[in-house]
Amino acid sequence: MNVAIIGASGYTGLELIKILINHPKFNISYIANSSGEMNVQDLHPCLKNVINIDVDLANALEVSKVADLAFLALPHKTSMAFAKELLELGVKVVDLSADYRLELETYEKHYCEHTDKEHINDAVYGLPEYFRDEIKNAKLIANPGCYPTASLLALLPFIDHIDTNAPIFIDAKSGVSGAGKNPSETTHYCQINDNVHAYNPFKHRHMPEIHEKVRILKGKDVSINFVPHLLPLTRGMLVSVFATLKDDIDVNEVLNNAYKDCEFIRIREKPVDVKSVAGTNFCDLFTAKNGKALFVSSAIDNLLRGASSQAVVNANILCGYEEYEGIPKIAYVP
Ligand SMILES: NC(=O)C1=CN([C@@H]2O[C@H](COP(=O)(O)OP(=O)(O)OC[C@H]3O[C@@H](n4cnc5c(N)ncnc54)[C@H](OP(=O)(O)O)[C@@H]3O)[C@@H](O)[C@H]2O)C=CC1
Ligand SMILES: CC(=O)N[C@@H](CCC(=O)OP(=O)(O)O)C(=O)O
């Protein structure tokens, strides 16, 4: 199947190219950014002698002539303009931005006015472990945020066992590539190197995303207290969930039962780390309890399981291919 990548000059766009080059069923027929008129090897010198394809100025009509499915690795707001046009032209869309992840009211409260309201209800939230059946029949996938991916995979199995009158805390830490390729004051080397800090405590836009998906999947309106941090790492994400259990349960049994048939979840016996998942689509999970205090830890690669490899898994499911086809499993260790 011919596929397009729009936003190919960004960090997640590059990861999409790297995965799709080796994919047995998908063929990259179109790649684009906001300027075009160059070769992909000029855009990403690391791809010299690997792939030779022109980069176009993004144009939905041109995409529809050469591809059946498009990956949008674009900023929020820009994405919905392209998605709307592509869907009207009959092209299936896997969107890596937040534009179709949330219910309209929640989206407009935390982002901006939505300019493609007619397609919001067609979007399926692309967390395969929880929405696999819906993804199979979708034409528009809203790929989850990186923090919500790691947080939901850790939290959801325990929701029915958690005392929801007590606060749930999520302490999340991300590598700097999570902020995309454009540098800013917070991502400047001197600010990041040898340093660690929280940002947007209890105010980050991923907090409502986690809250909404827990409500939709588990029917519970729980209070999520989410605090992200930046780490001096290029890629990687570590999430720690702290909550209070209602009963004295076997926490490992809960986790193992929740994910027993899941190819890309690994339940570990020791606390998880980001290096063991770097370069892969795995989410590694670890849990422990102290009386009624619950700790669940998850590790993902923010650029892969948090974005591009999860997007390709979603495309695999949507196209009827095996979930694991072309998906990286070997971590960058050491
Ligand atoms: N980085 C991460 O870990 C994660 C990112 N995401 C989401 O994925 C999306 C992409 O993120 P990321 O790769 O980090 O972002 P980057 O900032 O690294 O890349 C953005 C890309 O969008 C392109 N672009 C911007 N405006 C336009 C336009 N008008 N027309 C065509 N192309 C345009 C840019 O092209 P140009 O070079 O020409 O400006 C660039 O290729 C975002 O929505 C982000 O929130 C989701 C989960 C994790
Ligand atoms: C480290 C860092 O800055 N991370 C980004 C989130 C990563 C991401 O891109 O998520 P979305 O897809 O929802 O935009 C942030 O905190 O906004």
Side-chain angles (χ1 to χ4, degrees), residues 76 96 98 101 111 145-147 174-176 178-179 199 204-206 230:
H76 318 310
L96 278 70
R101 287 181 202 152
Y111 290 85
C146 45
Y147 286 124
S174 173
V176 188
Y199 64 106
H204 194 278
R205 63 200 163 79
H206 285 171
L230 265 181

Side-chain angles (χ1 to χ4, degrees), residues 46-305:
C46 63
L47 296 178
K48 193 161 172 58
N49 296 0
V50 178
I51 178 175
N52 189 356
I53 181 170
D54 286 336
V55 180
D56 285 7
L57 167 62
N59 179 301
L61 187 59
E62 295 305 313
V63 173
S64 71
K65 292 177 188 163
V66 294
D68 302 304
L69 183 148
F71 294 93
L72 302 185
L74 296 168
H76 318 310
K77 305 175 196 174
T78 309
S79 218
M80 57 184 148
F82 278 100
K84 181 177 178 352
E85 251 190 288
L86 288 165
L87 291 164
E88 281 161 4
L89 289 161
V91 179
K92 291 181 175 166
V93 171
V94 179
D95 178 26
L96 278 70
S97 87
D99 282 351
Y100 296 91
R101 287 181 202 152
L102 300 168
E103 289 169 348
L104 178 61
E105 200 180 323
T106 318
Y107 182 86
E108 293 198 333
K109 183 168 170 201
H110 296 279
Y111 290 85
C112 59
E113 189 192 350
H114 207 290
T115 55
D116 182 27
K117 296 185 178 66
E118 80 180 85
H119 289 116
I120 290 183
N121 291 336
D122 295 333
V124 173
Y125 191 68
L127 192 60
E129 285 75 7
Y130 291 93
F131 292 95
R132 192 173 282 110
D133 288 343
E134 292 88 339
I135 294 166
K136 282 178 191 161
N137 300 311
K139 60 180 182 183
L140 169 60
I141 304 288
N143 219 51
C146 45
Y147 286 124
T149 296
S151 303
L152 288 166
L153 290 172
L155 177 62
L156 282 168
F158 292 100
I159 283 290
D160 292 338
H161 303 284
I162 285 173
D163 173 2
T164 48
N165 294 316
I168 297 170
F169 290 101
I170 302 180
D171 170 303
K173 302 177 185 76
S174 173
V176 188
S177 60
K181 68 172 181 152
N182 291 327
S184 69
E185 204 172 319
T186 24
T187 61
H188 191 292
Y189 180 81
C190 299
Q191 175 65 15
I192 292 296
N193 182 48
D194 285 342
N195 205 358
V196 58
H197 63 88
Y199 64 106
N200 296 339
F202 307 141
K203 293 199 164 51
H204 194 278
R205 63 200 163 79
H206 285 171
M207 196 159 96
E209 187 177 329
I210 299 166
H211 176 265
E212 182 183 293
K213 300 313 162 193
V214 171
R215 177 173 53 71
I216 288 170
L217 283 161
K218 296 290 177 181
K220 290 189 179 166
D221 193 7
V222 297
S223 157
I224 304 285
N225 298 284
F226 175 78
V227 182
H229 302 72
L230 265 181
L231 288 181
L233 302 174
T234 299
R235 67 168 80 208
M237 174 165 286
L238 190 74
V239 162
S240 301
V241 176
F242 301 97
T244 306
L245 292 167
K246 284 191 289 197
D247 305 305
D248 188 19
I249 54 164
D250 180 336
V251 288
N252 273 298
E253 190 179 297
V254 169
L255 215 45
N256 279 296
N257 284 342
Y259 294 121
K260 55 180 178 297
D261 297 320
C262 296
E263 177 105 19
F264 290 108
I265 302 279
R266 298 189 299 197
I267 295 158
R268 317 289 296 218
E269 286 170 10
K270 290 186 182 163
V272 297
D273 66 289
V274 295
K275 198 165 222 185
S276 300
V277 293
T280 81
N281 189 58
F282 286 116
C283 173
D284 282 4
L285 294 169
F286 168 83
T287 183
K289 66 173 182 177
N290 180 24
K292 290 196 170 172
L294 171 71
F295 168 58
V296 196
S297 177
S298 69
I300 62 169
D301 182 326
N302 58 292
L303 288 175
L304 291 182
R305 179 55 183 245

